[in-house]
């Protein structure tokens, strides 16, 4: 399951003991819609091992600014509240899976 992250839950979710994969996106972003099904699949594949969330950069500009999101889609993997890996642009499912596996 992919969680909708916002200013009220973001810090708590990324500070979890489990790694957290966060997809920064916007509705108007074509490439974001290409990445979205991959993120959904990863959420299913890694259920119980990681948390997966999405941040709408239009609605959550403060979070986007805090993590210097200049281009979307941007996918960041957090461990204990710290960003450990970041991909900008469309990547393959294998790239994201490798990022997760390296940080489990």
């Amino acid at each position: 399951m992919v969680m909708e992250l916002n200013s009220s839950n973001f810090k708590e979710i990324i500070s979890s003991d489990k790694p957290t994969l966060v997809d920064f996106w916007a509705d108007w972003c074509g490439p974001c819609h290409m990445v979205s099904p991959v993120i959904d699949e990863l959420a299913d594949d890694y259920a119980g091992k990681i948390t997966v969330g999405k941040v709408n950069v239009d609605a959550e500009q403060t979070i986007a600014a805090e993590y210097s999101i200049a281009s979307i889609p941007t996918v960041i993997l957090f461990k204990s509240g710290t960003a450990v890996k970041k991909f900008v642009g469309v990547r393959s499912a294998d790239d994201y899976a490798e990022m997760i596996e390296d940080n489990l």
Side-chain angles (χ1 to χ4, degrees):
M1 181 180 97
V2 178
M3 300 179 66
E4 190 65 37
L5 302 180
N6 55 49
S7 56
S8 64
N9 67 2
F10 185 80
K11 291 287 187 188
E12 178 185 345
I13 299 299
I14 68 164
S15 298
S16 157
D17 291 341
K18 284 190 242 175
T20 305
L21 188 71
V22 180
D23 175 18
F24 291 86
W25 71 286
D27 197 41
W28 50 263
C29 168
C32 297
H33 291 284
M34 294 168 53
V35 169
S36 187
V38 174
I39 299 299
D40 293 345
E41 185 176 318
L42 290 167
D44 292 340
D45 291 349
Y46 289 94
K49 295 180 182 176
I50 68 168
T51 302
V52 179
K54 294 185 179 195
V55 174
N56 181 324
V57 298
D58 289 336
E60 300 296 337
Q61 294 178 8
T62 303
I63 296 171
E66 183 175 347
Y67 291 94
S68 303
I69 306 301
S71 297
I72 52 173
T74 293
V75 176
I76 301 177
L77 185 69
F78 293 89
K79 283 181 84 172
S80 301
T82 302
V84 294
K85 186 79 176 178
K86 178 179 183 176
F87 284 145
V88 178
V90 176
R91 300 296 280 263
S92 73
D94 289 343
D95 286 344
Y96 296 121
E98 183 178 322
M99 173 172 61
I100 294 164
E101 290 291 336
D102 288 348
N103 288 284
L104 282 178

